[in-house]
Amino acid sequence: MGIATLAVYFGTQYSNGQARQRSIAVFEEARASTQSFSFTPIAQPAPASISRQSIDTSLWSPQRRAAYAKHASAQDLPEAILRVPSIGLVVPVFEGTSEHNLSRGAARIEGTARFGESGNIGIAAHRDGFFRTLKDIEVGSTLVLDGLNARRVYQVAEIRIVEPSDISVLKPTGSASITLVTCYPFYFVGPAPRRFIVRGRATG
């Protein structure tokens, strides 16, 4: 029974990693064939390629791994790729916070700045999935948001824990910024009562 359980676990890990790599590969291909997407202003040119490292789901809940395996597919085209090198986070970002999008990656929060706009871009993901590694993020960490033909780099300026009703963190800003949102505490049985907020400001 123990060996069978391990086989299922590692099989799921491999399948999830392959799905994520395919999703990012589709994004890379789209970026290579279009010039229509750009951040304004462009802080840096987009890199030639985005890391295809295997996804590490070791911190994820079993339910989140199952949801990811169900919703991810080779046809998924994210709007951007978010990377936080200091905590090893690489996640595709999709448009809109539907459960489908949140099950396969991170999602831009409706009502916040769109990709390509210079404002406050809100990005959400599950605390027991991709954003669980945010528990280790620190002020000063670098956040990188790659679009189809541009890259914008941010530096973490603030980390807060707020009530779910506090939507002030998503208000528009006069300069380019990014706000990451997930539920808190990271390890909690049932719906988590608070929100973990990471605010980054563009470095250029």
Side-chain angles (χ1 to χ4, degrees):
M1 177 66 73
I3 295 175
T5 300
L6 286 174
V8 170
Y9 171 76
F10 286 113
T12 301
Q13 292 277 83
Y14 177 79
S15 176
N16 288 351
Q18 292 298 304
R20 173 180 163 278
Q21 289 176 20
R22 289 195 301 270
S23 179
I24 292 178
V26 170
F27 174 85
E28 290 178 349
E29 292 170 4
R31 185 177 59 190
S33 64
T34 182
Q35 298 298 317
S36 62
F37 186 103
S38 64
F39 288 105
T40 306
I42 294 177
Q44 296 182 19
S49 62
I50 295 174
S51 171
R52 297 187 185 184
Q53 66 195 73
S54 296
I55 181 174
D56 179 7
T57 63
S58 60
L59 296 178
W60 293 24
S61 68
Q63 294 85 354
R64 192 60 54 210
R65 286 195 295 267
Y68 180 79
K70 176 181 178 180
H71 290 276
S73 74
Q75 287 73 42
D76 292 341
L77 176 61
E79 297 288 329
I81 303 294
L82 173 66
R83 299 190 298 119
V84 186
S86 64
I87 57 175
L89 175 64
V90 181
V91 55
V93 185
F94 298 94
E95 176 62 34
T97 54
S98 66
E99 187 54 40
H100 175 62
N101 285 343
L102 289 171
S103 291
R104 59 185 179 153
R108 186 189 73 84
I109 300 171
E110 297 88 338
T112 66
R114 295 182 178 276
F115 301 112
E117 295 179 349
S118 183
N120 183 16
I121 300 175
I123 297 178
H126 286 302
R127 66 183 170 98
D128 57 352
F130 279 104
F131 271 9
R132 179 158 276 176
T133 56
L134 288 184
K135 66 185 179 62
D136 298 320
I137 201 166
E138 298 178 347
V139 171
S141 297
T142 296
L143 309 175
V144 182
L145 189 64
D146 284 310
L148 289 177
N149 64 3
R151 160 183 282 191
R152 175 159 279 161
V153 179
Y154 305 83
Q155 186 174 51
V156 176
E158 182 183 16
I159 299 172
R160 297 171 57 188
I161 298 170
V162 303
E163 299 299 322
S165 59
D166 185 357
I167 60 174
S168 64
V169 295
L170 298 176
K171 287 183 176 179
T173 56
S175 58
S177 62
I178 189 170
T179 301
L180 309 183
V181 180
T182 195
C183 294
Y184 182 86
F186 289 96
Y187 295 91
F188 190 85
V189 178
R194 308 189 77 186
R195 300 295 179 264
F196 187 86
I197 307 296
V198 176
R199 170 64 62 83
R201 298 192 178 98
T203 59

